[in-house]
Amino acid sequence: RLTAIACSPRQACVLNANGGLTCWGDLSGTSPPMSGYTSIVNGGNVSGITSDGEVLTWGVTYPNCPAGQDCLADLPGPHQAAFSAFRPQRFYLDELGQVTSSRDNWTGDYPPYEGALPDARPKDTFSTLAVGPFICGLHADGTFLCWSDTGIGSDSAPLDDGTHTYALLDQADGLCGITREDGSIVRISGSTYDGPTGKGYRAIVTYTQTPPGDARRCGLTADGDLDCSASPYEQMVPAGAQLDKVCSGRSYVCGIRFDGKVSCWGREEGNFSDDPLILHIPDEIRAP
């Protein structure tokens, strides 16, 4: 039984109920141990959290870190969750739900993102994070707090106005959330929202279309339908797929279906004939 799926721009992996890992796509970089995980993490690289709370990262690494630095250097665990940023930096939630960052291991800064000090983050406890232009933490009561590299109180950081409580946050071209009240997706801040308009969603998925940077959001319903309003990707979802979990790279999406098999699709007009992430799904998990 497959329990989780994670994507990077060049690789996808699934996790089974026994903690075993299956990956495909561009496997030319570093390879992970194939067992002993409790969860896997999307990002510029795929990462896994082991049973003892350590984070392992594999695949292509960031080439532009400060001299002698590892931009994805792991802080000692245990961690309960990890989140990748747009830039070469990772954020963690520890066992208490407090935030730490891979930047805490650096001896220098990576311009222009200077000033990210350990004491620049809140001491709150969070259930999850949404990492993008800002770092936004979701509290257990459904409220959220956002901050920047330089700390709390940035004039442009999204603010919680108390209109809703949230079950999930997503950051891509703005901050959106799934409300606890009825499962609808609402725009909290940022650019004009172009995405699902219905209700009852349990996940948000972001795709990048042509032209590059044209980000669109889709909502995953309880029935397993992927609702991508005003997006051609809605037409690419395999008919009758009924998706349980999904992940997105840059121009593709992979999903675990309710029948336990995996489907992948992507790129406008279905032009993915040479894409190993689409074609090379291992036979034992590939949907017919």
Side-chain angles (χ1 to χ4, degrees):
R1 183 172 63 89
L2 302 180
T3 60
I5 188 166
C7 298
S8 74
R10 301 174 65 179
Q11 191 178 108
C13 298
V14 291
L15 184 69
N16 65 38
N18 296 319
L21 197 67
T22 301
C23 297
W24 66 96
D26 182 355
L27 303 179
S28 61
T30 56
S31 299
M34 302 311 290
S35 61
Y37 299 95
T38 59
S39 61
I40 49 180
V41 184
N42 296 305
N45 300 75
V46 180
S47 302
I49 300 180
T50 68
S51 56
D52 60 2
E54 296 300 317
V55 179
L56 301 178
T57 301
W58 54 89
V60 180
T61 58
Y62 289 102
N64 297 318
C65 296
Q69 302 296 315
D70 178 2
C71 292
L72 293 179
D74 293 324
L75 293 178
H79 308 291
Q80 63 164 301
F83 306 86
S84 292
F86 290 159
R87 49 195 178 276
Q89 185 177 7
R90 184 191 288 124
F91 294 87
Y92 310 93
L93 289 180
D94 65 17
E95 288 185 307
L96 299 176
Q98 294 184 325
V99 182
T100 55
S101 167
S102 61
R103 178 164 288 202
D104 295 353
N105 278 0
W106 296 11
T107 57
D109 285 314
Y110 183 43
Y113 308 112
E114 298 179 353
L117 303 175
D119 60 2
R121 293 184 299 275
K123 306 302 182 184
D124 301 38
T125 59
F126 301 104
S127 58
T128 190
L129 300 179
V131 177
F134 301 95
I135 307 95
C136 295
L138 185 64
H139 296 113
D141 64 2
T143 61
F144 69 85
L145 175 67
C146 296
W147 64 97
S148 69
D149 275 348
T150 56
I152 305 169
S154 168
D155 290 340
S156 54
L159 296 175
D160 189 345
D161 63 7
T163 303
H164 301 285
T165 56
Y166 298 93
L168 184 70
L169 297 177
D170 174 76
Q171 268 201 89
D173 196 28
L175 180 65
C176 289
I178 297 178
T179 69
R180 286 184 172 185
E181 292 83 3
D182 58 9
S184 60
I185 298 178
V186 299
R187 181 175 67 88
I188 300 170
S189 69
S191 301
T192 301
Y193 176 62
D194 183 5
T197 56
K199 298 179 180 180
Y201 297 107
R202 55 187 173 89
I204 303 173
V205 188
T206 302
Y207 303 80
T208 300
Q209 297 177 216
T210 302
D214 182 11
R216 300 291 181 94
R217 288 187 182 91
C218 302
L220 185 63
T221 71
D223 294 331
D225 296 323
L226 202 60
D227 177 9
C228 310
S229 299
S231 170
Y233 281 101
E234 186 175 32
Q235 311 306 319
M236 292 185 184
V237 181
Q242 290 189 299
L243 301 165
D244 182 27
K245 297 176 176 66
V246 291
C247 68
S248 62
R250 287 200 180 107
S251 58
Y252 78 95
V253 169
C254 289
I256 301 173
R257 303 166 12 152
F258 283 138
D259 63 10
K261 298 296 185 180
V262 173
S263 293
C264 294
W265 65 95
R267 298 190 182 179
E268 284 201 29
E269 300 177 357
N271 181 23
F272 47 73
S273 59
D274 61 347
D275 193 332
L277 281 162
I278 308 297
L279 294 178
H280 296 172
I281 304 172
D283 290 341
E284 64 269 23
I285 61 172
R286 178 189 292 272

